[in-house]
């Protein structure tokens, strides 16, 4: 290498750009946090330096948890995310395993179809789906979103798992087959236990995607008791033209914590899934 | 012949008897039975709504009323609707500019991160936060950052000499578009950056050494070694990003509702307004379907590119 690496050059080439991106990425979260802790007298006073916190208070959090249905929304969000992730993993495996391991006519076509469905964005489908859900009498039930989230999560899980399954060696399954195990037994007892990392990756993504979902929840859930966090925050904490910014920021922060927590535990799995080239952005 | 083929197993089991068990064990039977539930599920909740959406777009169909077939009338209405063309232009500008910014910014982020430094994994995890936090919630934070009366951004701008009270970010048509593009970029850039970083890490160092020995400058190494090797990843990430920026809904719905005066209205939000706001399911479906030609092209391109099977 011709280039020297003095301390000045290191600052310019490394810390300056990395620092810039870090500040850019994290400032909104910092702003959420300090806004949620400021008393209203400080929030809406132009003479106070806004970047730091002068008189911290938990009032907005207490109001959020006692005067709104935020806890109900959180429970709904969790329930929906966990159930639709579980459904999607099971159905995703049922698609991915044959595609990864079996030879049969039409396999290529099915794989392409799954990929194409994975790429269909919700806005293309929400109007007819809304009508279908209404005719099924599922409006304002969590079932409506538990049924519709997997329409995006199943192809996604299948796609991610298909990529993962192909990296698992086949010798164990072949040995099990020679020992007389049926295909179902081979898959359940031998193959699936080997794929835990793949399930964790797909599961985290499916979980974060369901926590992030907004359009279907907005259309199908119009009663406070069945709302999820994103819809509840938008529909009920923004009241007409009056904004309760402290409460809003408290809600946005608390609503982000479950995803951020799960993500921080499994960040390596997350990045591995992200960089396998199968995740939408 | 690979080890996986049928005859190998055929020797290992009794022949001649066609039991249900052995029928179920045939690759094609096993596969189709296994795939039937997910495929039926997708047919019912993706395939059917998709076809039903096409049918709806050909109907006059107010909410809670039966539809009447009107042929292509809805599409003709859109064709003569100046807002529809505004929406098409908005969507195009939004997608093109945001994608370009994410690509350039993501590449810069990846190059900056592709060095050894302490706490690198922590920094990478923190940089991805905008991408994993639910869009609606981070957009609410941006809404507050851009608030007309108490914008912290304007507070900073006034500090460096911009005349008070600073720009009205969400009230001015052009600035509102700038704002949604900036926030979409903020959210999507880490995804680009971290994916490209993974790509950079697969470039063999020998290539750079060889290029250096041949007298290549830093820029030349980037242009003739790094970029060509990253090209497949850039292409995939860009196609993903274009598809989901093109059909974006959440960010605009929360931040501007398509305003002011439809300056930030996109296909998805406009279709929502017509179908859910005005209750015109048929017309709304036709606006949503107007996305189909461009989307179909992108989806087919990416599907072919991603082919695993």
């Amino acid at each position: 290498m011709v280039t020297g690496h003095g301390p000045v050059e290191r600052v310019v080439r490394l810390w300056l750009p990395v620092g810039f991106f870090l500040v850019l990425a994290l400032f909104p979260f910092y702003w959420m946090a300090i806004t949620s802790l400021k008393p209203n007298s400080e929030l809406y006073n132009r003479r106070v330096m806004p970047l730091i916190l002068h008189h911290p208070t938990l009032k907005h959090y207490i109001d959020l948890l006692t005067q709104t249905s935020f806890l109900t929304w959180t429970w709904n969000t969790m329930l929906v995310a966990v159930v639709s992730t579980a459904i999607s993993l099971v159905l995703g495996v049922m698609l991915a395993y044959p595609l990864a391991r079996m030879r049969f006519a039409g396999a290529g076509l099915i794989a392409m179809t799954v990929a194409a469905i994975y790429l269909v964005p919700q806005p293309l489908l929400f109007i007819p789906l809304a009508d279908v859900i209404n005719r099924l009498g599922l409006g304002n039930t969590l079932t409506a979103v538990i049924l519709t989230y997997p329409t995006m999560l199943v192809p996604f899980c299948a796609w991610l798992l298909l990529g993962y399954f192909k990296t698992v060696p086949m010798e164990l399954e072949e040995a099990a087959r020679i020992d007389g195990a049926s295909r179902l037994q081979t898959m359940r007892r031998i193959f699936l236990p080997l794929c835990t990392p793949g399930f964790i990756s797909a599961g985290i993504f499916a979980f974060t995607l369901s926590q992030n979902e907004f359009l279907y929840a907005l259309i199908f859930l119009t009663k406070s008791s069945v709302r999820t966090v994103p819809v509840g925050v938008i529909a009920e904490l923004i009241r007409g033209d009056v904004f309760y910014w402290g409460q809003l920021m408290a809600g946005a922060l608390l609503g982000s914590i479950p995803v951020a927590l799960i993500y921080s535990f499994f960040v390596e799995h997350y990045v591995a899934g992200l960089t396998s080239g199968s995740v939408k952005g | 012949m690979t080890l996986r083929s049928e005859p190998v197993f055929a020797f290992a089991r009794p022949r001649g008897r066609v039991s249900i068990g052995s029928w179920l064990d045939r690759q094609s039977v096993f596969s189709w039975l296994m795939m039937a539930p997910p495929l039926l599920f997708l047919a019912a909740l993706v395939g059917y709504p998709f076809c039903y959406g096409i049918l709806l777009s050909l109907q006059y169909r107010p909410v809670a009323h039966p539809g009447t077939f009107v042929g292509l009338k809805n599409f003709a209405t859109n064709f003569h609707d100046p807002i529809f063309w505004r929406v098409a232009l908005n969507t195009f500008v939004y997608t093109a500019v945001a994608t370009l910014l994410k690509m350039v910014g993501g590449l810069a982020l990846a190059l900056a991160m592709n060095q050894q430094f302490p706490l690198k994994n922590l920094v990478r995890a923190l940089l991805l936060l905008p991408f994993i936090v639910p869009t609606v919630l981070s957009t609410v934070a941006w809404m507050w950052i851009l608030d007309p009366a108490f914008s912290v951004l304007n507070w900073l701008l006034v500090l460096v000499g911009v005349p008070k009270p600073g720009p009205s970010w969400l009230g001015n048509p052009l600035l509102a578009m700038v704002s949604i593009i900036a926030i979409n970029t903020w959210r999507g850039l880490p995804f680009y950056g971290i994916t490209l970083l993974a790509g950079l890490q697969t470039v063999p160092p020998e290539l750079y050494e060889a290029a250096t020995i041949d007298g290549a400058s830093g820029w030349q190494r980037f242009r003739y070694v790094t970029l060509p090797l990253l090209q497949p990843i850039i292409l995939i990430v860009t196609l993903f990003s274009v598809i989901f920026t093109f059909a974006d809904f959440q960010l605009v719905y929360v931040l501007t509702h398509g305003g002011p005066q439809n300056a930030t209205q996109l296909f998805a939000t406009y279709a929502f307004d017509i179908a859910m706001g005005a209750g015109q399911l048929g017309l709304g479906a036709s606006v949503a379907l107007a996305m189909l030609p461009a989307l179909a092209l992108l989806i087919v391109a990416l599907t072919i590119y991603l082919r695993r099977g």
Side-chain angles (χ1 to χ4, degrees):
Chain A
M1 285 292 199
V2 213
T3 46
H5 285 283
V8 176
E9 195 184 327
R10 193 154 165 85
V11 166
V12 172
R13 291 179 59 134
L14 176 67
W15 295 116
L16 223 59
V18 170
F20 168 77
F21 283 116
L22 263 182
V23 170
L24 195 69
L26 298 182
F27 179 75
F29 300 112
Y30 170 74
W31 195 234
M32 255 188 221
I34 67 162
T35 301
S36 69
L37 293 169
K38 282 179 185 175
N40 278 341
S41 57
E42 193 176 320
L43 267 183
Y44 305 116
N45 184 344
R46 268 176 249 237
R47 278 190 289 269
V48 181
M49 149 76 179
L51 286 178
I52 46 171
L53 192 55
H54 302 274
H55 306 285
T57 165
L58 286 176
K59 184 176 184 309
H60 298 305
Y61 287 91
I62 294 164
D63 288 352
L64 178 75
L65 298 181
T66 54
Q67 292 169 13
T68 74
S69 313
F70 190 81
L71 285 175
T72 313
W73 305 335
T74 307
W75 165 250
N76 292 341
T77 313
M78 288 298 157
L79 185 73
V80 168
V82 168
V83 177
S84 45
T85 298
I87 294 177
S88 305
L89 279 176
V90 172
L91 292 180
V93 168
M94 293 168 86
L95 268 179
Y97 184 75
L99 290 176
R101 286 297 199 248
M102 302 291 141
R103 291 153 164 244
F104 56 95
L109 186 70
I110 297 288
M112 298 270 274
T113 310
V114 170
I117 295 180
Y118 163 42
L119 295 171
V120 171
Q122 294 148 287
L124 208 55
L125 295 176
F126 75 95
I127 297 170
L129 257 186
D131 205 46
V132 171
I133 292 293
N134 275 338
R135 274 188 287 155
L136 291 173
L138 292 174
N140 275 322
T141 63
L142 290 180
T143 315
V145 282
I146 289 176
L147 266 183
T148 46
Y149 287 5
T151 58
M152 44 177 193
L153 300 179
V154 169
F156 168 73
C157 288
W159 194 243
L160 202 112
L161 290 174
L162 178 54
Y164 187 83
F165 287 176
K166 293 200 161 177
T167 66
V168 177
M170 278 191 286
E171 282 77 16
L172 281 175
E173 289 155 85
E174 279 156 6
R177 289 288 292 160
I178 290 167
D179 287 346
S182 74
R183 291 199 188 278
L184 192 62
Q185 286 167 331
T186 311
M187 173 183 152
R188 280 183 42 210
R189 306 256 171 83
I190 310 294
F191 178 75
L192 293 183
L194 293 173
C195 299
T196 315
F199 293 133
I200 296 179
S201 255
I204 302 167
F205 275 104
F207 184 81
T208 49
L209 283 175
S210 10
Q211 295 253 334
N212 186 30
E213 208 289 329
F214 179 64
L215 181 53
Y216 290 165
L218 178 72
I219 296 171
F220 302 148
L221 311 174
T222 52
K223 276 204 318 227
S224 188
S225 58
V226 288
R227 278 182 166 141
T228 58
V229 171
V231 181
V233 165
I234 294 303
E236 294 183 39
L237 298 190
I238 298 178
R239 306 173 182 106
D241 281 337
V242 187
F243 290 88
Y244 294 75
W245 284 112
Q247 259 185 47
L248 260 174
M249 292 300 112
L253 201 69
L254 287 185
S256 308
I257 282 176
V259 185
L261 221 67
I262 298 239
Y263 162 75
S264 68
F265 284 132
F266 296 105
V267 66
E268 291 309 318
H269 284 96
Y270 192 90
V271 173
L274 196 68
T275 50
S276 69
S278 347
V279 177
K280 51 192 177 188
Chain B
M1 273 286 159
T2 63
L3 271 178
R4 198 155 55 138
S5 61
E6 219 34 53
V8 177
F9 299 120
F11 293 117
R13 54 192 57 247
R15 311 190 62 168
R17 201 161 48 93
V18 184
S19 67
I20 290 216
S22 69
W23 182 75
L24 284 177
D25 253 16
R26 285 166 60 179
Q27 296 207 27
S28 59
V29 175
F30 173 82
S31 301
W32 285 107
L33 281 179
M34 181 65 84
M35 294 189 310
L39 287 179
L40 285 176
F41 174 80
L42 291 176
L45 284 173
V46 178
Y48 170 70
F50 181 75
C51 300
Y52 182 53
I54 295 178
L55 184 71
L56 267 181
S57 75
L58 303 174
Q59 290 181 344
Y60 171 71
R61 173 77 163 78
V63 76
H65 290 276
T68 23
F69 184 80
V70 292
L72 294 174
K73 189 161 167 289
N74 289 327
F75 292 96
T77 308
N78 291 334
F79 192 82
H80 296 292
D81 172 12
I83 300 176
F84 178 84
W85 292 107
R86 176 78 206 245
V87 164
L89 180 69
N90 288 344
T91 310
F92 177 78
V93 170
Y94 178 65
T95 309
V97 179
T99 303
L100 201 68
L101 286 175
K102 281 183 268 192
M103 192 192 298
V104 174
L107 198 56
L109 174 61
L111 288 171
M113 286 288 289
N114 194 26
Q115 309 177 58
Q116 290 312 314
F117 59 92
L119 298 179
K120 184 171 169 176
N121 282 347
L122 177 69
V123 170
R124 189 181 62 176
L126 289 174
L127 284 172
L128 261 177
L129 268 183
F131 184 67
I132 65 135
V133 162
T135 312
V136 166
L137 303 181
S138 56
T139 304
V140 171
W142 279 102
M143 207 169 158
W144 173 226
I145 291 175
L146 302 175
D147 185 77
F150 299 97
S151 161
V152 63
L153 182 63
N154 282 355
W155 183 85
L156 287 168
L157 288 176
V158 167
L159 217 60
V160 297
V162 173
K164 272 188 179 180
S168 161
W169 291 101
L170 305 178
N172 173 304
L174 179 67
L175 289 180
M177 181 54 99
V178 169
S179 302
I180 61 169
I181 289 174
I183 299 169
N184 180 280
T185 305
W186 173 80
R187 185 182 138 74
L189 193 146
F191 166 68
Y192 253 97
I194 302 303
T195 312
L196 294 185
L197 175 63
L200 278 180
Q201 285 164 347
T202 63
V203 179
E206 300 85 51
L207 289 182
Y208 291 116
E209 282 158 25
T212 311
I213 291 168
D214 289 344
S217 68
W219 164 251
Q220 284 172 325
R221 285 199 298 271
F222 173 73
R223 171 69 187 80
Y224 296 105
V225 178
T226 314
L227 264 191
L229 288 170
L230 278 186
Q231 205 191 335
I233 302 184
I234 295 181
L235 188 70
I236 290 185
V237 181
T238 304
L239 280 172
F240 267 117
S241 173
V242 166
I243 291 174
F244 291 96
T245 311
F246 185 79
D248 198 6
F249 173 81
Q250 310 195 359
L251 200 166
V252 171
Y253 178 84
V254 172
L255 199 72
T256 63
H257 270 279
Q261 297 107 47
N262 295 312
T264 56
Q265 197 75 269
L266 306 180
F267 278 120
T269 51
Y270 193 46
F272 179 90
D273 274 1
I274 293 176
M276 303 297 146
Q280 295 294 336
L281 296 185
L283 192 59
S286 75
V287 171
L289 273 181
M291 289 191 281
L292 189 61
L295 275 181
L297 215 64
L298 291 163
I299 290 175
V300 168
L302 188 51
T303 309
I304 290 171
Y305 203 81
L306 284 174
R307 187 165 26 194
R308 283 177 187 163

